[in-house]
Amino acid sequence: MHIIPRILCCCLLSMPVLAQKKNEAYKLQIRKATSPMKIDGIIDEAAWQSADVATGFHMVLPMDTSAARLRTDVRMTYDDKNLYLVVENYTIGDGPYMVESLRRDFAFLKNDNFLLFMDPFDDQTNGFTFGANAVGAQWDGLMYDGGKVDLSWDNKWTSVVKNYGDKWVFEAAIPFKTIRYKKGITKWGINFSRNDLKTTEKSAWAPVPRQFATASLAYTGSLEWDAAPPAAGSNVSLIPYLLGGIAKDYEKGTPEKYRHDAGLDAKVAITSSLNLDLTVNPDFSQVDVDKQVTNLDRFELFFPEKRQFFLENGDQFSNFGYTTIRPFFSRRIGLGVPIHFGARLSGKLNKDWRLGVMNMQTGKQEETGLPAQNFTVAALQRRVFSRSNLGFIFINKESVNYDPTKAADNKPVYSRYNRNMGLEYNLASSNNFWTGKAMMLKSYSPGKTGHDVAHAANLQYAGKTWNISWQHEYVGRNYNAEVGYVPRQGYIKMAPQITHLFLPLSGKVLSHGPQVTTTWFFDEKLNRTDNETMLNYGIVFRKRNTLNIWASNTYIKLLQPFDPTNTGKDSLRIGTQHGWNTAGADYVSKPQSLFTYALSARYGGYYANGTRLMTNTELGYRFQPYVSIAISANYNYINLPKPWGDNSFWLVGPRLDVTMTNTLFFTGFMQYNGQQKNMNLNTRFQWRYRPASDLFIVYTDNYLPEPFYVKNRALVVKLVYWLNI
């Protein structure tokens, strides 16, 4: 089996790469402002009148072979403190703009919007994005992996959107202290993207092939400065918080617990492109609770990280590896135990080198005997060729002053340490048609040697009509990533996939075509344990509604006992074999309507010759731009032989979003989980009283549905203030 990763690695490393940037000819000159600037959506400053204009946008959807129907004019200028942007988004016809709400970091395809993609190092890999929808909701994020966007990044900048009869104008001021760039570089990568739902047109200034997101940094043009951008100067931000709260556990019958905490985050710019983040006694009480699911899986479920300290600029750590082979998963740190302090140094050393180092210290937990632990992660990345890179990662988890042999008899035993080291090569061709990854990991744990490595590789070709990919994985039975997400050990996986699209020149259908995916699992002796083959036919309509129809064949040989309902009734035995066929369909309505919906259903076999029916419905209505109402309902009906019998599981979740202004938000949602017999209520009020400074009021409740009984509830008030020094 080891010959396969070697062949793939050779293919990845030898893939032809071109140094020439695709859209090198697209250039926008930026000159220093000749007048004071006021962010008001009115283009009356002298600096705007003399600024160069980026116009003549290119259509990306529905076709990428013509000029955009809608005119978009972009101007940029700067002074000693800020980078300025003004955009005139011209429209066709009457009627209101299409937006979800005034909520920050909106869904791109569900709003009339304009976005800026900026690559200050012109390395076509990392950057920043800023933008707004047609009523002024802001969008900002960090860019990584050549076109992915991390919207958890939140920083200080100001913007205004002003509506006119034939256009809407977006004007913004982005402080140089907000972004990271290398001193002296006078050419940045840049592109502008526009989405208009009434015409269903997506466009970009520098042309982008339709199969790629307009965020793809491989297709940026150039922002050419008349002089080197001004140095950001001293750049230190202190972000303290004060918190008060009350919580009560009705199940345990304990008295109310009162909270009164304070903590501090700090951001220190070591250089204009390298940042130090510090945190002392962090609190994440304002973060959304996890979305509940009906769990019918044999392995640990994945729930995404939502805590901003771990997300911001953390792609070097969290994206190392693959979806189910993550050597570092930040949710292993500080969930259920206090984080005392942490530090992270991250950013660019120069155009080719990128560094990330993080250290976190947690406290001990007397109730479970969990010792205080220290977590260290270090990642180094080197750009090779035009857009590819080599990466190294080291992860160390250490239990502080802990001896497993002296653990109390009634307490779990924890490891003294766990370490991981890894290398990976990320391929990205200059035109983005070829992407891939080759990776090797090794773990170090007390008492575990041999079969403690993991390696994987994939290669993907993304053409306009053909998308072909191959991926394989190997995880040894003793590979151990205690700070990672690796739900399965001791397997070999192969997963080829092929998609073909037909692109009609006219009519209601934008694209359609078949996709075949097959996934095979083997044990380390190459004995088959699982496989699934799926045939899908997808249709994308010009109004952006979508339909997918699919059928699959599944085979599973159980390697450990498994309860097919996850309710604790009984378990199927090790070694039993199960196979079935399933058919399903998914439909998502067009985003232009005030009422939107998504429907999906599947029916087929299940374990032990049983059957499973699943339906999922998501309904939404918006009173734009202030109120958005949504409800999701998931139903599973499983018929099995005794002792399980008939099983019905409901999962229902209504949600209300009220955006009174683009600085005042209220969110309330409920989750009823029939499998877990739990009802959760969560409400959050947020007031952004100044840029990046917030007041949060969060209320949570958990109920036992039958009989209706309060399990626990909590109220938290948190004040955050961002201070630049």
Side-chain angles (χ1 to χ4, degrees):
M1 270 309 296
H2 294 278
I3 189 68
I4 294 176
R6 291 173 187 166
I7 293 172
L8 276 173
C9 288
C10 291
C11 291
L12 292 174
L13 288 167
S14 61
M15 190 64 58
V17 289
L18 303 172
Q20 181 69 30
K21 195 162 83 164
K22 296 297 295 182
N23 287 328
E24 190 71 38
Y26 289 82
K27 299 177 181 179
L28 176 63
Q29 305 293 327
I30 181 171
R31 292 182 291 273
K32 193 169 185 179
T34 56
S35 63
M37 306 299 295
K38 183 179 180 182
I39 305 303
D40 55 7
I42 303 173
I43 310 175
D44 57 356
E45 289 86 357
W48 289 138
Q49 307 308 317
S50 60
D52 285 9
V53 182
T55 189
F57 276 44
H58 295 79
M59 189 184 296
V60 178
L61 288 176
M63 303 296 292
D64 61 0
T65 56
S66 65
R69 292 175 58 202
L70 296 177
R71 176 182 161 192
T72 308
D73 293 346
V74 184
R75 295 174 174 85
M76 297 187 72
T77 187
Y78 71 97
D79 59 22
D80 291 335
K81 294 184 177 181
N82 298 308
L83 177 65
Y84 296 98
L85 169 78
V86 69
V87 187
E88 295 174 274
N89 299 280
Y90 289 89
T91 59
I92 295 176
D94 299 324
Y97 298 112
M98 306 286 185
V99 295
E100 286 182 295
S101 68
L102 290 161
R103 178 161 295 281
R104 193 182 187 92
D105 297 331
F106 46 81
F108 173 79
L109 290 176
K110 295 181 179 180
N111 291 261
D112 292 342
N113 65 75
F114 172 91
L115 300 181
L116 155 71
F117 302 113
M118 186 164 53
D119 177 8
F121 283 83
D122 202 24
D123 63 4
Q124 304 167 66
T125 305
N126 301 97
F128 302 87
T129 177
F130 298 89
N133 69 11
V135 293
Q138 289 185 332
W139 156 298
D140 56 5
L142 290 175
M143 301 188 67
Y144 63 97
D145 278 2
K148 297 177 182 175
V149 176
D150 175 11
L151 291 174
S152 67
W153 185 71
D154 197 3
N155 220 305
K156 297 184 74 170
W157 61 290
T158 57
S159 67
V160 167
V161 165
K162 190 173 180 64
N163 293 152
Y164 297 86
D166 61 340
K167 65 183 177 182
W168 58 276
V169 172
F170 165 52
E171 189 172 18
I174 304 167
F176 286 109
K177 290 186 176 184
T178 291
I179 56 180
R180 305 283 175 258
Y181 55 94
K182 190 68 176 178
K183 183 179 179 181
I185 294 180
T186 57
K187 187 173 80 168
W188 294 7
I190 202 156
N191 207 355
F192 312 110
S193 176
R194 170 99 182 266
N195 188 54
D196 185 83
L197 287 175
K198 279 180 289 188
T199 59
T200 67
E201 179 178 89
K202 182 170 73 168
S203 59
W205 171 59
V208 180
R210 61 185 288 167
Q211 68 267 34
F212 301 127
T214 49
S216 177
L217 296 179
Y219 290 91
T220 53
S222 297
L223 182 68
E224 299 193 339
W225 297 75
D226 61 344
S234 62
N235 189 357
V236 178
S237 299
L238 299 179
I239 313 169
Y241 79 84
L242 295 173
L243 180 146
I246 181 173
K248 183 173 176 60
D249 191 325
Y250 290 86
E251 281 191 310
K252 295 181 179 179
T254 54
E256 294 87 351
K257 289 185 179 180
Y258 293 90
R259 294 184 60 189
H260 39 83
D261 287 326
L264 176 70
D265 289 345
K267 295 178 178 293
V268 182
I270 305 300
T271 70
S272 60
S273 57
L274 190 64
N275 201 64
L276 175 65
D277 290 274
L278 304 170
T279 186
V280 178
N281 192 33
D283 171 83
F284 306 103
S285 56
Q286 81 278 10
V287 174
D288 273 345
V289 298
D290 289 323
K291 185 176 181 180
Q292 296 190 33
V293 297
T294 299
N295 182 10
L296 299 172
D297 205 284
R298 291 177 293 150
F299 303 101
E300 178 191 11
L301 296 177
F302 179 85
F303 290 95
E305 175 64 270
K306 298 181 180 181
R307 298 171 294 176
Q308 188 172 357
F309 181 85
F310 293 102
L311 288 169
E312 185 176 318
N313 214 23
D315 63 277
Q316 257 191 290
F317 310 129
S318 60
N319 289 296
F320 199 102
Y322 287 86
T323 304
T324 54
I325 312 177
R326 295 285 185 211
F328 177 73
F329 180 41
S330 57
R331 281 181 68 106
R332 305 295 186 203
I333 303 174
L335 282 185
V337 296
I339 297 176
H340 289 331
F341 56 84
R344 181 182 63 239
L345 180 67
S346 61
K348 287 273 198 176
L349 300 177
N350 55 40
K351 187 173 183 177
D352 294 326
W353 287 95
R354 190 170 176 231
L355 174 70
V357 180
M358 182 166 64
N359 184 270
M360 305 294 293
Q361 178 66 48
T362 63
K364 63 181 180 179
Q365 192 178 51
E366 298 290 350
E367 185 178 337
T368 61
L370 180 68
Q373 294 180 322
N374 184 267
F375 301 83
T376 300
V377 192
L380 187 65
Q381 196 176 84
R382 172 68 160 88
R383 188 171 78 118
V384 294
F385 307 119
S386 61
R387 299 182 59 240
S388 304
N389 63 70
L390 286 166
F392 166 80
I393 196 167
F394 172 75
I395 303 152
N396 182 59
K397 171 188 174 183
E398 198 90 24
S399 295
V400 181
N401 299 322
Y402 177 71
D403 185 351
T405 63
K406 297 180 180 179
D409 292 337
N410 61 339
K411 300 292 175 64
V413 177
Y414 302 94
S415 62
R416 287 189 299 110
Y417 68 86
N418 174 248
R419 300 182 183 113
N420 268 255
M421 295 180 65
L423 286 170
E424 72 175 17
Y425 170 69
N426 290 284
L427 166 77
S429 64
S430 60
N431 61 7
N432 213 41
F433 277 56
W434 290 95
T435 56
K437 176 183 290 192
M439 174 201 71
M440 177 69 75
L441 294 165
K442 179 172 173 55
S443 66
Y444 302 85
S445 301
K448 288 190 175 184
T449 57
H451 299 273
D452 55 1
V453 299
H455 58 72
N458 81 292
L459 184 63
Q460 177 174 329
Y461 170 78
K464 189 168 294 187
T465 58
W466 287 98
N467 189 302
I468 304 171
S469 67
W470 164 273
Q471 181 170 326
H472 96 273
E473 302 171 3
Y474 164 73
V475 178
R477 60 180 177 270
N478 287 327
Y479 177 71
N480 184 24
E482 294 183 12
V483 198
Y485 177 75
V486 186
R488 186 169 181 166
Q489 288 83 30
Y491 73 90
I492 296 165
K493 173 185 173 182
M494 298 180 185
Q497 177 177 290
I498 184 168
T499 305
H500 180 65
L501 288 180
F502 300 97
L503 307 173
L505 295 178
S506 60
K508 295 183 178 180
V509 174
L510 182 64
S511 65
H512 64 96
Q515 179 184 80
V516 180
T517 305
T518 182
T519 305
W520 294 73
F521 285 90
F522 305 86
D523 63 20
E524 290 179 282
K525 295 181 180 179
L526 284 179
N527 298 308
R528 181 183 64 148
T529 61
D530 304 64
N531 69 265
E532 182 176 65
T533 300
M534 176 179 288
L535 172 63
N536 176 83
Y537 202 94
I539 304 172
V540 179
F541 298 92
R542 290 185 184 271
K543 292 292 186 179
R544 305 219 182 139
N545 45 326
T546 62
L547 172 65
N548 286 283
I549 302 171
W550 58 270
S552 68
N553 172 264
T554 303
Y555 166 81
I556 292 174
K557 180 180 179 180
L558 291 177
L559 303 179
Q560 57 189 6
F562 175 61
D563 174 5
T565 64
N566 274 335
T567 56
K569 288 182 179 180
D570 199 356
S571 293
L572 296 166
R573 296 190 309 275
I574 294 176
T576 55
Q577 300 181 52
H578 309 268
W580 62 82
N581 297 314
T582 307
D586 310 282
Y587 179 78
V588 179
S589 68
K590 61 183 182 181
Q592 297 93 330
S593 301
L594 296 179
F595 173 68
T596 58
Y597 57 94
L599 307 171
S600 63
R602 57 174 289 171
Y603 178 77
Y606 198 55
Y607 294 91
N609 295 317
T611 58
R612 178 188 174 193
L613 167 69
M614 187 280 290
T615 62
N616 191 75
T617 304
E618 295 183 12
L619 308 176
Y621 192 86
R622 61 180 188 266
F623 301 88
Q624 60 178 26
Y626 302 110
V627 179
S628 174
I629 302 171
I631 184 169
S632 62
N634 178 273
Y635 173 70
N636 275 273
Y637 172 74
I638 298 173
N639 177 264
L640 290 165
K642 292 183 178 180
W644 300 281
D646 293 343
N647 301 266
S648 296
F649 300 127
W650 279 99
L651 185 67
V652 182
R655 181 184 181 99
L656 172 68
D657 281 298
V658 181
T659 55
M660 291 153 271
T661 69
N662 60 3
T663 60
L664 206 58
F665 315 106
F666 173 82
T667 300
F669 66 93
M670 185 195 78
Q671 298 180 97
Y672 165 69
N673 190 325
Q675 187 185 40
Q676 295 182 3
K677 294 181 171 56
N678 184 70
M679 185 181 296
N680 170 254
L681 176 67
N682 183 275
T683 63
R684 182 182 61 185
F685 172 83
Q686 178 186 359
W687 174 33
R688 175 146 290 191
Y689 57 91
R690 55 175 295 167
S693 299
D694 298 282
L695 170 69
F696 296 98
I697 302 175
V698 181
Y699 175 79
T700 60
D701 244 333
N702 280 288
Y703 299 92
L704 186 68
E706 298 175 7
F708 193 75
Y709 173 77
V710 180
K711 297 165 68 175
N712 53 71
R713 60 176 40 148
L715 175 68
V716 171
V717 179
K718 181 178 179 181
L719 182 68
V720 182
Y721 183 78
W722 186 303
L723 174 66
N724 284 337
I725 298 178

